[in-house]
Amino acid sequence: VDDSVKSSLIQFLAKLSSQNGQQNHYLGWNISSDPCKDGWLGLVCDGRNESVKKLFLDGLNLSGTLQTSFLCNSKPLMDSLNVLSINYNNISGEIPDDIENCKELTRFHIRGNKFNGNLPSSLSKLVNLRRLELSNNNLSGNLPDLSRISGLTMFLAENNMFSGEIPQFEFSNFESFNVSFNNFSGSIPTNGGSYFASNSFMGNPLLCGEPLPTKCHSIKLQEVKPGVEESNHNNKDHILIYSGYIILGVFLTVIVIFMICKRRKKESKGDSRLSTNRVVAVDDDGINKFSTVSLSSEYKTSKPEFSMLSTESGGLSSSLIVPTTSVVNGLKFEDLLKAPAELIGRGNHGSLYKVMFDYGMVFAVKRFKDWGISTDEFMKRMWTIDRVKHPNVLPPLAFYSSDHEKLLVYEFQSNGSLFSLLHGSSQNKKSFPWMSRLEIAGRIAKALAHMHKALEQDEIAHGNLKSSNILMNWNMEPCISEYGLMEIHSQSHESKSFRSDVYGFGLILLELLTGKLVKDEEGICLADWVKTVLREEWTAEVLDSSLMAEAASEERMVNLLVVAVKCVESSPNARPNMNQVVAMIDSIKEDEEETSIISVQ
Ligand SMILES: Nc1ncnc2c1ncn2[C@@H]1O[C@H](COP(=O)(O)OP(=O)(O)OP(=O)(O)O)[C@@H](O)[C@H]1O
């Protein structure tokens, strides 16, 4: 690599870090070595080690400014660089115009920094861009016409101060899209609502249309000035409409007051709802402090009143909520307090609350007591997990840690879990055919394999994989929840933990295939039962009766059963790893597809 490239890179990093030289030294960037051959940290070269292709400088505590001129006005770097990722630093200032000269950029990631000002219009000239991540900055103004970039598949801009209208993107191309918690206005462009749920748009008070509950029609009605352009006839219509709204409003108010009274009465009778279990957060110069002021009935016996901020010695640092994505960051945590909350489950590892907010947002807050993991360890683990993304893994939106208590905030999934789908009402089961089960198995396997691979070095497995931790998202796709939240001590033999996940996955496969509980009322283990039946003779007897009605796929069902049984081998070393499981399921899916083509012919 040319000396000029080395020097540009070193100067770029020096400006980015604002501590001339220190970061360069730490990352091993120095003019006397070669970026590619001597393995400078944070960059990726081409196969022949001749040019620098990607810069990954995420989470390095860099607090300078972005001087793209060192990269984008300097040949040959400007022609080779295709990824610039500086997420989760403290970089401030504006995004320079000359970024447009880095024409090969496919990814530009600056989430979790302190960038301000407008996005330069030159950004829309980066025609090769596929992923643009701008979340959690202080960016403002109108968006340039990014819809000109036809290959864009990811646009994340939540938690900024952008205004104006959302461009007419080609949403069908997008894997992810989020503009929540900005100041966007007007109607959501066509198709936005068909591809993305309200979470992608919420928190923009002047935005309307599908999938938000605010109808554009209602905003326009308020803007009409009566008597100017409208005929008398229309005015009369409006008066009628307004009167209708007023009557409806009064009616709804009466109902709400009635419900509140009823609810208070119920609470005073001591039900398990959390209306007294308020979660307090104070927004203080952008720092969210998070505490509980009183406890739900479950803790009342031991400690009647409790405030994390006042009783815990850790002070501010132990009270920090670390927002990892937009939705929570943009929220005032006082709102969280006011929101009604409900205890919906008490699992082996903690309690789960459903907390309801304005804009129709609903969160699931998991609360662990005495987890036995230090705050430092917990934070490190959460940040590590947060870096790994997969569409079928539910990320925590925020987390909190004190000595005795840990909280995790997730998006609430109103379609329930795979457990409820399989073992809930018999109605559910009927509409749960073999192909959907196979598809779900394949998606969970791929997501788990992805997580295992990405977190292998950090030795973080899921640790508690089961069907109640597989949640069905708005689109009825399965999402693995609560990744990596098991007790730290049981993670000690990391290879065993990864193989334990494989066991958990095997049980999920058995549940999908048999429709039976992992442990029945008499305490019989599903895995043991299946093994016993199969030992006598390979038979389809174990399969769910509603699946047997679809006899056409019996052979593939038995093949999947073989995979499941391998996964639940008693000896961890005898179990396949998740990559092998993915390959086996893929081959069953291929067989299934071929068979259905032949039967159609
Ligand atoms: N984000 C979520 N949205 C909707 N439901 C959820 C969410 N997270 C968990 N649940 C459901 O809430 C219930 C309680 O969850 P919780 O995680 O406390 O218990 P669990 O999974 O049964 O046990 P464990 O503590 O071992 O994980 C489960 O039925 C689970 O499927």
Side-chain angles (χ1 to χ4, degrees), residues 320-370:
L320 277 180
I321 267 272
V322 185
T324 56
T325 63
S326 52
V327 184
V328 173
N329 195 21
L331 261 185
K332 288 252 166 33
F333 278 85
E334 286 148 351
D335 298 340
L336 181 73
L337 293 201
K338 289 177 204 137
E342 190 182 340
L343 176 67
I344 59 164
R346 205 170 295 178
N348 301 329
H349 302 97
S351 308
L352 195 107
Y353 300 96
K354 177 180 179 183
V355 182
M356 283 147 282
F357 289 96
D358 298 342
Y359 308 111
M361 279 187 298
V362 187
F363 293 137
V365 180
K366 181 100 180 180
R367 178 185 210 170
F368 296 90
K369 288 283 267 176
D370 300 321

Side-chain angles (χ1 to χ4, degrees), residues 445-478:
K446 281 194 177 136
L448 193 60
H450 174 86
M451 298 302 281
H452 279 188
K453 185 160 179 260
L455 292 165
E456 193 179 1
Q457 299 287 321
D458 299 289
E459 301 174 3
I460 303 176
H462 184 289
N464 191 23
L465 194 71
K466 54 185 176 175
S467 57
S468 64
N469 282 337
I470 306 292
L471 303 172
M472 308 310 292
N473 73 7
W474 63 280
N475 206 15
M476 284 310 276
E477 285 170 12

Side-chain angles (χ1 to χ4, degrees), residues 571-601:
S571 155
N573 291 335
R575 297 172 203 154
N577 67 32
M578 280 314 297
N579 282 334
Q580 293 166 322
V581 173
V582 168
M584 290 188 269
I585 297 181
D586 274 349
S587 116
I588 297 173
K589 279 172 75 180
E590 277 162 26
D591 284 354
E592 187 65 71
E593 277 152 22
E594 267 170 33
T595 318
S596 56
I597 291 167
I598 291 167
S599 64
V600 168
Q601 283 170 348

Side-chain angles (χ1 to χ4, degrees), residues 361-561:
M361 279 187 298
V362 187
F363 293 137
V365 180
K366 181 100 180 180
R367 178 185 210 170
F368 296 90
K369 288 283 267 176
D370 300 321
W371 188 354
I373 163 172
S374 73
T375 290
D376 278 356
E377 245 177 312
F378 173 79
M379 288 297 181
K380 190 168 157 242
R381 171 179 284 242
M382 287 304 126
W383 277 118
T384 308
I385 296 172
D386 186 63
R387 274 210 292 270
V388 186
K389 303 280 182 220
H390 190 279
N392 295 104
V393 176
L394 197 68
L397 300 176
F399 32 88
Y400 161 85
S401 175
S402 74
D403 288 349
H404 304 294
E405 188 154 40
K406 314 269 182 272
L407 292 180
L408 280 126
V409 181
Y410 289 94
E411 198 179 297
F412 188 82
Q413 305 298 320
S414 53
N415 284 328
S417 64
L418 181 60
F419 179 94
S420 57
L421 207 59
L422 280 166
H423 311 298
S425 74
S426 53
Q427 198 57 37
N428 283 348
K429 275 189 163 185
K430 279 198 193 111
S431 52
F432 200 3
W434 158 244
M435 282 307 279
S436 315
R437 297 188 199 207
L438 183 58
E439 181 62 30
I440 283 177
R443 283 188 187 234
I444 304 170
K446 281 194 177 136
L448 193 60
H450 174 86
M451 298 302 281
H452 279 188
K453 185 160 179 260
L455 292 165
E456 193 179 1
Q457 299 287 321
D458 299 289
E459 301 174 3
I460 303 176
H462 184 289
N464 191 23
L465 194 71
K466 54 185 176 175
S467 57
S468 64
N469 282 337
I470 306 292
L471 303 172
M472 308 310 292
N473 73 7
W474 63 280
N475 206 15
M476 284 310 276
E477 285 170 12
C479 286
I480 299 175
S481 172
E482 303 187 2
Y483 193 97
L485 303 192
M486 66 185 299
E487 282 142 313
I488 196 84
H489 54 77
S490 39
Q491 289 267 12
S492 51
H493 302 292
E494 82 286 351
S495 60
K496 264 196 188 160
S497 294
F498 288 115
R499 299 287 163 146
S500 304
D501 281 0
V502 175
Y503 189 92
F505 179 75
L507 285 180
I508 291 174
L509 284 185
L510 289 181
E511 283 178 88
L512 281 165
L513 285 162
T514 65
K516 291 189 171 22
L517 289 165
V518 164
K519 204 167 232 173
D520 72 7
E521 294 82 17
E522 286 142 33
I524 296 174
C525 287
L526 180 57
D528 295 342
W529 175 76
V530 171
K531 283 180 201 168
T532 316
V533 176
L534 297 184
R535 215 171 289 136
E536 284 162 18
E537 188 188 348
W538 274 112
T539 170
E541 238 172 70
V542 290
L543 297 174
D544 191 336
S545 54
S546 68
L547 282 182
M548 288 309 287
E550 303 175 48
S553 297
E554 193 180 308
E555 196 185 323
R556 266 83 57 205
M557 291 176 200
V558 173
N559 289 345
L560 192 62
L561 201 55

